[in-house]
Amino acid sequence: MMSLAQQLSVLRWSPLPSTSFSRPTTTHNRHTRTLLPVVCSVALSNAQNRERVKLKELFEQAYERCRTAPMEGVSFTVDQFTEALEKYDFDSEVGTKIKGTVFAVDASGAYVDVTAKSTAYLPLQEACIHRIKHVQEAGIVPGLREEFVVIGENEVDDGLILSLKAIEFDLAWERCRQLQAEDAVVKGKIVNGNKGGLVAEVEGLKGFVPFSQISTKLSGEELLEKELPLKFVEVDEEQSRLILSHRKAAADSQGQLGIGSVVTGTVQSLKPYGAFVDIGGISGLLHVSQISHDRITDIATVLQPGDILKVMILSHDRERGRVSLSTKKLEPTPGDMIRNPKLVFEKAEEMAQTFRQRIAQAEAMARADMLRFQPESGLTLSNEGILGPLSSELPAEGVDFNEVPSAEEHS
């Protein structure tokens, strides 16, 4: 008897014909593919609806907490919050000083955070008392915290317009008042001029030096870009007027110059009759006859502007501010200024000592003669060898204030 397996093995199976029996499978697969997107879409829609419901519940809970317990979970009180806001509340009126931090710069200025609702701006022309091409030249870089003054408001975004120059002007005026009270001598650079005098820059301000208060033979053009010692005559911030005097400063310096003393100077300019030498802000004349014992036909063969010399003071007139100089008296041997000027420079003090001894003897003889022959004259002989009364006071000369430029005027 055959087993079940053997019986099945002898059976012959015929393939199913390609008939309608196989078609329902194709139709079923097509329906399945059509139903799958619909089922996924419904599932996704249900998930979004559940998320919306959850968010709605969270918003409703948050709203209820804000309505019933607004300070729940907050680490500070309303009073503390108000107090914190007041620390950043400032008066933005023009002229108000506020602190701020620079956080960006560009070619036209700098952006400043002043904890206001809009960014403040520092224009280039308001960044410094001096003329600059970029704010970085005045040390204005991101991170700088400084005090500024409000000078306006931007109409577009209500941002504040700031200035550092205004603060620097205030400090400059205060400094000039202090220097005037101390009767100090300051250095001023000549930057301009007009028919009434010269304009000098002092402490960042433009001061006016009337020609009547200039103690030098150099012309206004020759003095441009040069520095002069000056004293303050008038400091008026309200009128923006700063009047200076070179004559007063020169008188102080001349008081320290004694006949026979040796000073170092710089040749300023050459003339057919001699050379003008700057000796500490005072212009002295080195006459062609006092350059050397040897004859000089062309000064330019011996001296040039910019040369550094040691010169001897021959005489000076305090009233007129005139100083006469000599290098001839310092020559170890006649003609050394032409052949060996370096030797004259090195031996200047030694040769001057000999000259001063001769001057002292001449002064003693002059005093003796004066007392012997003019006992009732009332004249006196000064330490400089000048006979007659002397006064260091400057002549009272008027100034046309129409020619005085504003001290804060830009050139």
Side-chain angles (χ1 to χ4, degrees):
M1 187 173 180
M2 293 186 294
S3 64
L4 178 61
Q6 290 174 337
Q7 293 176 13
L8 292 174
S9 65
V10 297
L11 292 176
R12 294 184 179 274
W13 301 89
S14 57
L16 292 174
S18 180
T19 62
S20 59
F21 289 102
S22 61
R23 289 175 187 167
T25 304
T26 303
T27 304
H28 174 72
N29 289 340
R30 184 166 61 248
H31 285 305
T32 303
R33 287 196 299 270
T34 304
L35 290 173
L36 269 174
V38 175
V39 173
C40 292
S41 176
V42 171
L44 181 60
S45 177
N46 290 337
Q48 290 176 340
N49 287 335
R50 286 195 297 269
E51 187 68 22
R52 290 192 185 98
V53 171
K54 185 177 179 180
L55 288 174
K56 181 180 179 181
E57 291 176 353
L58 291 174
F59 279 122
E60 288 176 348
Q61 293 172 5
Y63 173 76
E64 186 64 21
R65 283 198 304 270
C66 290
R67 189 179 65 83
T68 58
M71 298 304 295
E72 182 181 349
V74 179
S75 59
F76 53 85
T77 65
V78 174
D79 291 340
Q80 291 173 333
F81 181 69
T82 304
E83 183 180 350
L85 289 178
E86 288 176 351
K87 291 181 180 179
Y88 297 97
D89 186 25
F90 54 83
D91 185 3
S92 59
E93 295 294 327
V94 172
T96 303
K97 293 182 180 180
I98 59 175
K99 286 188 176 293
T101 302
V102 176
F103 66 88
V105 298
D106 60 18
S108 301
Y111 296 90
V112 185
D113 177 16
V114 292
T115 63
K117 60 182 178 180
S118 299
T119 297
Y121 192 69
L122 174 69
L124 175 63
Q125 63 271 20
E126 293 295 331
C128 184
I129 196 172
H130 302 287
R131 189 178 295 275
I132 57 176
K133 296 181 178 180
H134 195 280
V135 292
Q136 289 178 331
E137 295 178 34
I140 300 172
V141 295
L144 173 70
R145 183 163 180 80
E146 190 59 84
E147 185 176 56
F148 304 85
V149 62
V150 179
I151 61 171
E153 188 173 312
N154 191 328
E155 296 180 356
V156 177
D157 60 359
D158 294 332
L160 300 179
I161 301 176
L162 308 178
S163 174
L164 278 175
K165 183 173 70 175
I167 294 178
E168 292 179 353
F169 270 133
D170 290 341
L171 294 175
W173 280 109
E174 180 60 32
R175 177 63 176 157
C176 288
R177 284 191 291 269
Q178 179 183 354
L179 292 170
Q180 182 188 31
E182 296 173 357
D183 198 30
V185 176
V186 298
K187 288 285 187 179
K189 184 179 181 180
I190 305 301
V191 296
N192 207 340
N194 57 36
K195 64 180 181 180
L198 301 176
V199 178
E201 187 173 290
V202 178
E203 297 291 330
L205 300 176
K206 300 295 189 300
F208 184 65
V209 190
F211 281 128
S212 62
Q213 293 299 316
I214 296 177
S215 180
T216 177
K217 292 299 180 182
L218 297 181
S219 66
E221 290 77 10
E222 292 173 317
L223 289 172
L224 280 177
E225 300 302 317
K226 289 183 171 58
E227 287 191 342
L228 290 179
L230 301 166
K231 275 194 170 186
F232 294 94
V233 175
E234 181 180 355
V235 179
D236 189 342
E237 182 179 2
E238 185 175 345
Q239 298 294 327
S240 189
R241 191 162 60 206
L242 190 65
I243 310 297
L244 305 164
S245 172
H246 173 244
R247 186 181 295 276
K248 283 187 173 183
D252 279 5
S253 300
Q254 289 174 9
Q256 302 172 4
L257 299 178
I259 291 178
S261 61
V262 176
V263 294
T264 301
T266 304
V267 177
Q268 291 180 313
S269 62
L270 302 180
K271 302 294 181 183
Y273 51 85
F276 284 100
V277 181
D278 175 26
I279 48 175
I282 303 171
S283 183
L285 175 62
L286 178 60
H287 195 270
V288 63
S289 64
Q290 287 296 328
I291 296 176
S292 176
H293 284 85
D294 287 1
R295 179 179 174 81
I296 296 175
T297 56
D298 184 4
I299 299 177
T301 61
V302 183
L303 300 174
Q304 286 294 320
D307 287 351
I308 307 298
L309 305 175
K310 282 187 178 179
V311 294
M312 176 184 287
I313 308 298
L314 286 185
S315 65
H316 65 90
D317 185 338
R318 293 182 182 179
E319 291 292 334
R320 297 183 178 181
R322 295 177 179 176
V323 181
S324 298
L325 309 173
S326 175
T327 52
K328 179 170 75 174
K329 305 298 184 183
L330 303 178
E331 288 183 321
T333 56
D336 279 343
M337 269 301 295
I338 299 174
R339 295 185 296 271
N340 192 1
K342 183 178 179 181
L343 179 63
V344 178
F345 193 93
E346 294 173 349
K347 297 285 186 179
E349 282 77 11
E350 180 181 336
M351 299 304 300
Q353 179 62 29
T354 302
F355 180 79
R356 282 194 291 268
Q357 291 174 354
R358 294 202 301 267
I359 289 293
Q361 293 173 357
E363 286 181 347
M365 294 177 62
R367 290 192 186 94
D369 289 343
M370 181 188 67
L371 294 175
R372 184 170 62 252
F373 297 110
Q374 294 180 320
E376 305 298 331
S377 65
L379 298 176
T380 59
L381 191 67
S382 72
N383 293 333
E384 293 79 21
I386 300 176
L387 189 65
L390 293 177
S391 173
S392 60
E393 295 181 359
L394 297 174
E397 301 187 45
V399 176
D400 184 359
F401 290 114
N402 292 325
E403 298 174 354
V404 180
S406 170
E408 298 183 9
E409 178 182 309
H410 287 288
S411 57

